């Protein structure tokens, strides 16, 4: 991961740009900003300063949970160079949009931030580009005009150009009629496609994915008129997680894509995380196994590190191939490649599924685990290794939910973890690191990374955390 030069300021705006109706569907939205607290590691370099913008105040318990992971130093050594600014705005809008509406605060920031300061965000859109221009900051990430490369349709086009194996996909559609026409053409021209999933072009986290309730093997036996009626009915009844999905379809489009199933072998969802530095060099940051859930098992719920050894080298090679291509196009900063792996008799078969030109659900768990253990990623083995050569394993999720957690204060949960020996220990390099503590009391929601000495150890720690009351 690229580091900022000594004596620089980092303005951290953990904003997710989406329709307010989409944002209102995310429980504990304000607490998403806490996932980015690991950027406090910027302060490990003496002279660096960090300004963190959040929609609502972050508690000391949340800050302490991350600060205690840093190398030993007096608390004031960190806090005197940290400026947390809350906008005190609970509305379901992007954080960047809220900040741009506060000209006095922008003037204050422009005065305080030193020349050469950097703006870091969750993702880069035109809003983040405007903010960087307004404050004369370097923007970390790919230019906003390259965002289509990370869309569902754009990803498929990139995979096709690179010759990477990927699911067969329709062109981008902006109406149910177009989507029906494109889907019909796809499945009639490829008789081995049995199921299809519809994906909204710009939706993250699987919130815009829904399988069509049709088995195309039997559908092809119907008359042309019956086929179209069945397809139109299935599209109209599509169980998309997003209530206003048809408006998103009209505005930003959607694709229909071949859906793989586990009927002929086991399925898994690996991913690889890249970093493209300012000069265009590509670095492999990590690999993961993604944990999918939701009503259609299309939504990202967490991850396990590292990816299976059986295909991790191939996953990293595909990531590097993609990264070099994106670097030539001008992409910079974080890139995530999601894949699908299906077990075959001769091994595992991989398909590229989606490109994300942003940070994601696997970004902060890796940074947390690496910072907490002092470990580094070893490209040759695909492992995170301590200074003594011991491998680090972890599980992570931002959506741990337990009804008994409602009403529990962050400090009370941390006390319970300490009493049970589950809280992360820098001595043993093992334990649970809680995040999203701001959503705990109101929603019974928590994010956590459980760091262990083996896959089984990390899984056991996560199970023990879920049993805390």
């Amino acid at each position: 991961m690229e580091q900022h030069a000594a004596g620089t300021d980092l303005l951290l705006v953990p904003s997710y740009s989406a329709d307010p109706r989409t944002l209102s569907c995310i429980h504990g939205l304000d607490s998403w900003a806490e996932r980015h607290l690991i950027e406090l590691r910027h302060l490990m370099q003496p002279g660096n300063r960090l300004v963190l913008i959040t929609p609502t105040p972050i508690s000391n318990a949340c800050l302490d949970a991350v600060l205690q992971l840093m190398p030993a130093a007096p608390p004031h050594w960190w806090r005197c160079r940290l400026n947390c600014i809350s906008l005190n705005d609970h509305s379901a809008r992007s954080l960047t949009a809220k900040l741009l509406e506060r000209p006095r605060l922008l003037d204050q920031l422009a005065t305080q931030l030193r020349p050469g300061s950097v703006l870091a965000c969750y993702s880069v859109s035109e809003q983040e580009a405007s903010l960087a221009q307004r404050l004369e900051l370097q923007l970390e990430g790919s230019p906003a005009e390259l965002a289509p490369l990370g869309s569902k349709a754009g990803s498929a086009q990139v995979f096709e150009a690179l010759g990477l194996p990927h699911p067969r996909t329709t062109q981008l559609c902006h109406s149910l009629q177009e989507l029906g026409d494109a889907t019909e053409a796809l499945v009639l021209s490829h008789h081995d496609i049995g199921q299809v999933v519809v994906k909204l072009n710009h939706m993250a986290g699987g919130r815009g994915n829904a399988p069509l309730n049709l088995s195309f093997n039997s559908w092809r036996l119907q008359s042309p008129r019956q086929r179209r009626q069945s397809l139109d009915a299935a599209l109209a009844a599509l169980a998309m997680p997003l209530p206003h999905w048809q408006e998103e379809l009209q505005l930003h489009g959607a694709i229909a894509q071949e859906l793989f199933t586990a009927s002929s072998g086991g399925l898994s969802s690996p991913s690889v995380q890249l970093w493209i530095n300012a000069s265009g060099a590509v670095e492999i940051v990590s690999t993961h196994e993604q944990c999918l859930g939701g009503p259609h098992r299309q939504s990202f719920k967490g991850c396990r590190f590292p990816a299976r050894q059986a295909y991790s080298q191939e996953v990293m090679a595909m990531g590097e191939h993609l990264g070099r291509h994106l670097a030539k196009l001008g992409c910079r900063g974080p890139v995530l490649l999601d894949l699908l792996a299906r077990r075959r008799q001769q091994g595992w078969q991989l398909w590229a599924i989606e490109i994300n030109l942003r940070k994601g659900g696997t970004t902060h768990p890796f940074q947390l685990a690496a910072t907490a253990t002092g470990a580094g990623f070893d490209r040759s083995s695909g492992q995170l290794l301590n200074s003594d050569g011991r491998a680090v394993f972890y599980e992570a999720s931002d959506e741990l939910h337990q009804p008994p957690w409602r009403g529990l204060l962050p400090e009370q949960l941390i006390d319970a973890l300490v009493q049970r020996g589950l809280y992360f220990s820098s001595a043993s390099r093992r334990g649970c690191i809680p995040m999203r503590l701001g959503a705990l009391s109101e929603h019974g929601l928590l994010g956590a990374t459980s760091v262990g000495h083996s896959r089984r150890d990390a899984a056991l720690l996560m199970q023990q955390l879920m049993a805390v009351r």
Side-chain angles (χ1 to χ4, degrees), residues 166-195:
H166 62 285
R168 288 163 289 192
T169 305
T170 67
Q171 76 273 16
L172 188 62
C173 305
H174 288 84
S175 69
L176 286 177
Q177 177 67 39
E178 286 184 25
L179 196 56
D181 292 343
T183 302
E184 186 173 27
L186 177 70
V187 297
L188 287 178
S189 59
H190 299 285
H191 285 261
D192 56 336
I193 294 179
Q195 288 184 278

Side-chain angles (χ1 to χ4, degrees), residues 32-302:
W32 281 95
E34 296 173 26
R35 304 193 309 167
H36 298 261
L37 285 176
I38 188 56
E39 296 294 345
L40 290 172
R41 64 197 178 129
H42 176 71
L43 300 175
M44 292 169 64
Q45 177 68 46
N48 282 2
R49 302 185 307 188
L50 189 148
V51 179
L52 172 61
I53 307 296
T54 58
T56 54
I58 290 183
S59 70
N60 286 330
C62 299
L63 287 174
D64 289 342
V66 176
L67 286 175
Q68 66 95 25
L69 304 176
M70 304 297 176
H76 76 273
W77 195 81
W78 306 99
R79 291 184 179 272
C80 69
R81 294 178 290 121
L82 171 64
N83 183 15
C84 296
I85 301 175
S86 168
L87 302 185
N88 294 295
D89 189 336
H90 291 269
S91 61
R93 295 177 299 140
S94 80
L95 184 58
T96 305
K98 296 175 185 179
L99 181 55
L100 287 169
E101 293 171 353
R102 290 162 167 79
R104 290 187 181 182
L105 178 54
L106 292 176
D107 290 341
Q108 176 185 330
L109 291 172
T111 300
Q112 293 177 349
L113 294 169
R114 294 174 289 184
S117 298
V118 177
L119 171 62
C121 306
Y122 171 75
S123 61
V124 176
S125 69
E126 292 181 1
Q127 290 182 333
E128 284 71 38
S130 296
L131 179 60
Q133 184 177 21
R134 169 71 170 77
L135 297 176
E136 298 183 356
L137 304 177
Q138 301 176 38
L139 181 56
E140 184 181 88
S142 297
E145 59 267 23
L146 296 180
L149 295 172
S151 67
K152 304 299 187 293
S155 295
Q157 291 170 0
V158 170
F159 299 150
E160 183 70 24
L162 290 178
L164 289 176
H166 62 285
R168 288 163 289 192
T169 305
T170 67
Q171 76 273 16
L172 188 62
C173 305
H174 288 84
S175 69
L176 286 177
Q177 177 67 39
E178 286 184 25
L179 196 56
D181 292 343
T183 302
E184 186 173 27
L186 177 70
V187 297
L188 287 178
S189 59
H190 299 285
H191 285 261
D192 56 336
I193 294 179
Q195 288 184 278
V196 162
V197 59
V198 173
K199 297 183 176 181
L200 297 176
N201 197 37
H202 287 300
M203 201 57 55
R207 296 182 185 87
N209 295 3
L212 269 178
N213 187 22
L214 271 181
S215 173
F216 286 101
N217 293 326
S218 57
W219 175 85
R220 292 185 182 88
L221 301 177
Q222 299 175 0
S223 68
R225 181 178 180 181
Q226 288 175 323
R227 286 200 304 259
R228 191 54 195 241
Q229 289 176 341
S230 299
L231 180 56
D232 288 344
L235 284 169
L238 196 65
M240 188 70 73
L242 209 63
H244 57 283
W245 73 272
Q246 292 197 34
E247 293 177 55
E248 281 286 333
L249 165 67
Q250 295 173 4
L251 285 172
H252 303 297
I255 60 169
Q257 190 172 77
E258 175 182 13
L259 177 63
F260 298 106
T261 67
S263 58
S264 58
L267 282 179
S268 63
S269 301
S271 69
V272 57
Q273 189 175 177
L274 318 170
W275 183 269
I276 305 176
N277 69 18
S279 63
V282 178
E283 175 190 356
I284 296 292
V285 177
S286 65
T287 65
H288 290 86
E289 294 292 339
Q290 298 183 97
C291 304
L292 304 181
H296 313 300
R297 298 196 62 78
Q298 293 280 319
S299 300
F300 179 84
K301 295 297 181 182

